[in-house]
Amino acid sequence: MVVEKKRPRGLKGSAVAKANKKSKTETTTNPSELPENAQTVVIDKEVEEGDEVGEAAALFESAVEKFETDPSGALSLLRGTIHESDRILRNHESKEPLPALFYYTYGSALYELGRLTDNEEFEPYLEAAEERLADALEHNKEKNELTNKIHISLTKVWLAKAASAVSENEQSIPKLATKALETLDNEALVGANIPSKTIIELADIVQNHGDLYDDLQARDKFRIWAESALKKVLKDEPNNTDALSALGLCKLSLANYYLDRVDEEEEEEKTKLTEEEEKAFNSILDSKKYFESAKQELVKIDKVTPQVLSDLAEAYLNEANLTLKEEDQAKLYKKAVETIKEANALIGEKKIEFVLPEALTSFLEEFEA
């Protein structure tokens, strides 16, 4: 069948939303005004009796572990962390300062709660988080693993603050964004065994920040950093599906940048791609390669996700839109349809809370009409 060529866009829009916040959960919490009963969670980690700072740190660690699987539970733990931290600070009477771990925990929890909280301004959380993390650096007398963690949290805060300074009318790279990259290169990721999961998360944040810019040179500053970080992960862990998917998204984002600049007027008998289309096409092929590798590895362990199928379907669809031979194009459209249906089946079978992008569902409806 003949399908009108429509390029599913929207990656930039979703990237902007993800740049500062992930899955948002509705709440009306103020960073400095938490209810007295906020600490109603159970710590599932071993903490020395009477170690209040350790308990708060354990609450935060438990929250981080729940970000992907249980966002609502993570929010409860974050609120508990902040409530306990606030109580510890108010009750602290010793002349000796609280340990750096306390301020790191407090500041990181504020950032994460602000990132995940809906119906609230992010800025107050960022300001409070930056203040606590600066205190953590001040009170951390030795350069150790905690130092790296503090710097990593600070770079997240700075990139989030920088994002709010970027707009359609203001496209210059904020100093805080540059400072964040420099800190990652010179402090945060130096001299410590940083978990690959952390590096992938940072790459995602950096890449999404780059998607805020219209200028390719500005975008590349962040995209290239993200791709380099992800390739380092894959060098040691070639089958890391999160890194493969993240790298695919970097390439797909670049493709969408070029597609957004393609003249929408289609030639009746097009025989050659424009320069922008050629660049987009090559980036799409790169993205498809990484998504297919990620899916292949996930199939082996029976952990395929709707997200990787959605990303792969978008790559197939974009590739089809730029394929000139009708027979090859039809095969790619069929692949996109099969992948979208596979995602829908997975969502229904495992009752996963995931909504496919509107561009994909609209394409499927049009294809089967």
Side-chain angles (χ1 to χ4, degrees):
M1 64 170 289
V2 178
V3 179
E4 179 185 357
K5 292 189 177 184
K6 290 186 177 179
R7 302 185 181 89
R9 306 265 174 84
L11 183 65
K12 182 178 179 182
S14 62
V16 170
K18 289 196 302 178
N20 293 336
K21 307 187 180 189
K22 279 193 178 178
S23 41
K24 309 273 287 172
T25 305
E26 187 170 341
T27 185
T28 56
T29 302
N30 183 286
S32 61
E33 296 177 1
L34 285 147
E36 286 300 316
N37 64 348
Q39 168 58 10
T40 57
V41 291
V42 178
I43 302 176
D44 60 357
K45 299 183 180 297
E46 290 186 11
V47 180
E48 188 174 329
E49 187 175 352
D51 182 4
E52 294 182 324
V53 172
E55 289 178 359
L59 280 173
F60 177 65
E61 288 177 15
S62 297
V64 172
E65 292 170 2
K66 290 180 179 288
F67 282 164
E68 300 298 333
T69 59
D70 183 11
S72 295
L75 277 173
S76 294
L77 289 165
L78 288 172
R79 293 192 194 100
T81 303
I82 295 170
H83 174 72
E84 282 299 286
S85 298
D86 185 57
R87 184 187 61 78
I88 292 169
L89 188 59
R90 283 188 282 107
N91 295 338
H92 183 67
E93 296 178 350
S94 172
K95 292 182 179 179
E96 291 296 317
L98 286 160
L101 176 62
F102 166 79
Y103 293 103
Y104 161 74
T105 299
Y106 199 173
S108 298
L110 284 165
Y111 164 78
E112 297 294 353
L113 184 60
R115 182 177 66 89
L116 292 171
T117 299
D118 206 358
N119 297 333
E120 288 289 332
E121 290 294 327
F122 198 9
E123 193 65 30
Y125 289 92
L126 293 175
E127 293 294 342
E130 185 176 25
E131 181 180 348
R132 295 299 179 227
L133 290 168
D135 289 338
L137 271 185
E138 181 182 345
H139 295 300
N140 193 43
K141 303 302 182 183
E142 300 178 10
K143 188 172 178 60
N144 49 28
E145 183 181 346
L146 180 59
T147 311
N148 295 83
K149 290 183 175 181
I150 296 168
H151 281 303
I152 287 171
S153 287
L154 274 171
T155 59
K156 293 178 183 178
V157 171
W158 291 337
L159 284 169
K161 292 182 75 172
S164 65
V166 181
S167 65
E168 186 176 344
N169 297 322
E170 181 50 69
Q171 285 283 303
S172 59
I173 299 176
K175 291 181 180 179
L176 273 180
T178 301
K179 182 179 181 181
L181 287 189
E182 291 174 349
T183 300
L184 286 172
D185 288 334
N186 301 325
E187 299 283 353
L189 304 182
V190 176
N193 185 23
I194 308 298
S196 58
K197 184 176 181 179
T198 300
I199 296 175
I200 295 167
E201 179 194 8
L202 288 169
D204 181 58
I205 291 171
V206 170
Q207 163 65 30
N208 287 330
H209 183 81
D211 283 341
L212 299 174
Y213 302 95
D214 294 329
D215 177 65
L216 183 59
Q217 186 175 355
R219 293 167 69 98
D220 279 352
K221 181 181 180 72
F222 300 92
R223 179 185 59 81
I224 291 171
W225 189 98
E227 289 187 8
S228 175
L230 292 168
K231 286 176 180 177
K232 287 178 183 177
V233 171
L234 290 173
K235 184 178 180 180
D236 296 327
E237 304 172 36
N239 299 328
N240 188 308
T241 56
D242 289 334
L244 288 167
S245 293
L247 202 45
L249 286 173
C250 287
K251 298 299 185 182
L252 194 57
S253 171
L254 181 60
N256 274 272
Y257 169 83
Y258 289 119
L259 288 176
D260 283 339
R261 283 147 184 81
V262 170
D263 187 350
E264 293 297 331
E265 293 184 11
E266 299 285 352
E267 299 176 21
E268 290 185 8
E269 294 292 336
K270 190 161 188 172
T271 59
K272 185 179 179 181
L273 296 177
T274 65
E275 182 180 353
E276 288 80 8
E277 288 172 330
E278 192 69 44
K279 290 178 180 178
F281 187 74
N282 290 331
S283 294
I284 290 165
L285 294 181
D286 288 338
S287 73
K288 183 181 72 170
K289 175 184 68 175
Y290 288 116
F291 291 142
E292 287 181 335
S293 295
K295 181 188 175 184
Q296 183 179 358
E297 294 303 321
L298 289 169
V299 166
K300 292 178 183 178
I301 56 176
D302 192 27
K303 288 189 177 180
V304 176
T305 65
Q307 183 65 67
V308 74
L309 294 172
S310 173
D311 294 334
L312 182 55
E314 183 174 352
Y316 285 143
L317 190 51
N318 274 324
E319 182 185 0
N321 287 340
L322 293 176
T323 297
L324 300 178
K325 292 183 179 180
E326 289 189 10
E327 185 178 348
D328 293 338
Q329 185 183 65
K331 290 178 181 178
L332 287 165
Y333 280 137
K334 185 179 179 182
K335 274 190 174 184
V337 167
E338 290 172 348
T339 307
I340 295 169
K341 287 183 174 180
E342 186 180 353
N344 279 329
L346 185 63
I347 292 168
E349 176 189 343
K350 297 191 175 182
K351 295 180 170 52
I352 300 171
E353 292 185 12
F354 183 89
V355 179
L356 286 169
E358 185 180 353
L360 295 183
T361 55
S362 297
F363 164 74
L364 181 61
E365 291 172 3
E366 182 181 343
F367 189 91
E368 297 187 323

